[in-house]
Amino acid sequence: MKPVLELFGVDMKVGDTVKIKVFIDPEAERFSINLGQEHSELALHFNPRFDSGRVIVCNSKEAGEWCTEQREEAFPFEQGEFVKICITFHEGVFEIKLTDDSVLEFPNRSCMDTMTYLSVQGDVRVKSLKFDY
Ligand code: GAL
């Protein structure tokens, strides 16, 4: 997926939330929002896909290797629309709140206590990004 935004030196700790608003390209195939410590160490890869059955895939990555995927039934996304995604880093779990107020959870498998890296990739443009600390 093409790189859209990459932030190093993030200081996201337990209890913190990041709110991201993106515009999904009208021809979008997929996009992702990633949190971790660098691109090869991801605690959360949140990856809505239009090109493989409209599904959200979540995963983590350790030492450059993908771990076990978690697939979600909810898919409140449409191409050509704005969406707001709020990710709260709780102890042991990420809570991901979507535009329709549905909430997904993904475990913090690697037990990282600080997210220092955030990236957005794929077929979106970033409208706003805000850390609520
Ligand atoms: C792969 C895909 C990656 C990532 C991963 C998640 O198939 O190429 O971009 O989404 O799945 O498990």
Side-chain angles (χ1 to χ4, degrees):
M1 273 177 280
K2 73 169 193 262
V4 175
L5 175 139
E6 199 168 31
L7 292 177
F8 301 87
V10 172
D11 188 28
M12 189 173 176
K13 295 213 157 57
V14 169
D16 294 342
T17 296
V18 61
K19 298 180 179 175
I20 304 175
K21 190 172 174 185
V22 298
F23 177 73
I24 304 173
D25 292 349
E27 308 286 318
E29 294 182 353
R30 54 179 70 186
F31 68 96
S32 70
I33 299 171
N34 304 284
L35 283 170
Q37 296 190 328
E38 53 176 296
H39 75 277
S40 58
E41 295 290 340
L42 299 178
L44 174 67
H45 169 72
F46 171 79
N47 176 213
R49 300 180 181 179
F50 292 92
D51 63 348
S52 60
R54 292 171 63 89
V55 65
I56 300 172
V57 174
C58 293
N59 206 346
S60 53
K61 197 190 236 186
E62 289 173 24
E65 301 289 332
W66 291 111
C67 303
T68 304
E69 288 185 353
Q70 179 176 303
R71 288 175 177 245
E72 307 293 341
E73 280 176 24
F75 195 83
F77 300 110
E78 294 297 336
Q79 292 151 316
E81 284 189 354
F82 287 96
V83 285
K84 190 169 143 195
I85 297 158
C86 300
I87 304 173
T88 303
F89 176 27
H90 293 295
E91 194 165 12
V93 74
F94 293 93
E95 185 186 274
I96 306 152
K97 192 169 167 189
L98 307 178
T99 306
D100 67 344
D101 281 343
S102 60
V103 177
L104 309 180
E105 288 193 349
F106 186 74
N108 180 16
R109 295 164 170 168
S110 50
C111 301
M112 292 178 195
D113 62 0
T114 307
M115 300 297 131
T116 58
Y117 172 85
L118 181 149
S119 72
V120 178
Q121 298 181 324
D123 307 319
V124 290
R125 280 178 277 158
V126 178
K127 192 71 182 170
S128 67
L129 184 144
K130 182 168 179 260
F131 291 101
D132 273 352
Y133 290 1

